[in-house]
Amino acid sequence: MAFNLVPSLPFTVSQVIVMRNYLILFSFVLLLNGCGAIDYYFLTPPEDTAQELYENARGFMQDKEYVEAIDSLTKLNDRYPFSPYATEARLMLGDSYALDAQYLEAVDAYEEFLNMHPRHESIDYVLFQIGVNKYNSHRSIDLPHTQLGEAVESFRRLVNAYPDSAYRDQALDYIVKCRKLMAEHEMFVADFYFKSGSYNAAWTRYAYIIENFSELDEIVQLAKSKAKVAYFYAQEQENDTKRHPSKLKQYFDWL
């Protein structure tokens, strides 16, 4: 009786080849998935395009999410300064800062736009916004009015250069508001000098108001009446010092 000493194989040769091919394909798929996972977790994601950043910013502004709009517009300007969206983005950046009550940042953005695009069709709007935001940045009567003076310059530039601008009448109104605040500040300082007994300094400040804010009749008339009193006390103070020079000695004892 003969015996088959070769054990029977569970798979044919063709089946083994097919299984090998499937194994190779499966390994390849795993490799691709692994690379995708590596990319997802370890590689920097692709940056948004200029258009995507611009559209995102518009959406944020419509939703009044101004901080997010500022972030998108800043990225657009930094990454794509020469894109077709860059010019509008710079203007929109000023608007975003203004609407978020970041007035001085808005001024910087508008002034950058003005310097980069001096012939742009929206320059009258930019000049108006520079003035408005400088006006809004003024906080208190006891603080210097530098921003108000610069606001007046911007409004006057708009009025003179763009007489047909839609913002002209508002600019004229703002000039009056700024000038009034400036005069009130000068009056505040003059009154401080008067109350502290520095009558000559007070009189000088009242005279400055009379000379430089002639269009503000009510304030000028008040300054005139106070100037008379300050001048009287200043003269009296000066005459008293002349009659009693020893009163000055106390101020020089430390020498």
Side-chain angles (χ1 to χ4, degrees), residues 2 16 31 34 49 75 78 80-82 86 104-105 113 138 153 166 172 180 190 192-194:
V16 171
L31 180 62
T49 65
K75 289 178 180 177
D78 291 343
Y80 310 102
F82 304 108
L104 294 181
E105 290 81 358
F113 182 93
H138 181 69
E153 292 178 7
L172 290 172
K180 186 176 181 181
F192 173 81
Y193 282 136
F194 187 91

Side-chain angles (χ1 to χ4, degrees), residues 2 30 98 118 159 170 199 211 230:
L30 286 178
V159 170
Q170 293 181 72
Y199 300 115
E211 182 178 353

Side-chain angles (χ1 to χ4, degrees), residues 58-77:
R58 290 186 61 183
F60 286 135
M61 289 194 70
Q62 289 176 357
D63 295 335
K64 299 183 179 181
E65 296 176 355
Y66 303 121
V67 173
E68 290 78 3
I70 290 168
D71 181 64
S72 292
L73 293 166
T74 301
K75 289 178 180 177
L76 196 162
N77 288 333

